[in-house]
Amino acid sequence: MGKWTNGEHEAPEPLEGNVVGTVIGGTLVWFVLFLVQLPFYGWFDEHGHTWWVWTCAAGAGLGCVGIWYVRRRDAAIRRAAAEAGPTDSGPAASSGSSA
């Protein structure tokens, strides 16, 4: 266990992927689970498990907030990259000679 907690290992780079798609997919899963459980609401109520239904509803609702958030974040990242301008690191840009 000590080899993992001694601080000698570097943290890995964060994974950058399609965050918007991931959040949309997760939200859809919660929403589908909510819809699948609705016809059985009476059974859940009789057995004291209605929190299962409402957990899925809350997951779908919070997922909608998450979609809004990550879409705005993605737009802000793209806007900041556009304002910074293109970074040209080709051979002509790095030669430094102006003939």
Side-chain angles (χ1 to χ4, degrees):
M1 182 75 172
K3 69 178 183 177
W4 300 107
T5 58
N6 61 7
E8 292 179 14
H9 298 286
E10 279 190 38
E13 291 293 321
L15 296 174
E16 287 295 329
N18 186 2
V19 178
V20 176
T22 303
V23 173
I24 289 173
T27 302
L28 286 175
V29 168
W30 281 113
F31 186 67
V32 167
L33 288 171
F34 173 71
L35 291 178
V36 166
Q37 291 179 358
L38 272 182
F40 306 103
Y41 189 82
W43 183 90
F44 286 113
D45 192 30
E46 289 172 7
H47 292 87
H49 295 303
T50 55
W51 64 271
W52 288 9
V53 178
W54 298 117
T55 298
C56 293
L62 290 172
C64 290
V65 173
I67 292 169
W68 172 80
Y69 177 81
V70 296
R71 290 187 71 202
R72 285 187 49 128
R73 177 184 175 268
D74 193 43
I77 290 171
R78 291 177 193 262
R79 192 170 43 251
E83 289 173 2
T87 56
D88 189 8
S89 60
S94 63
S95 66
S97 61
S98 59

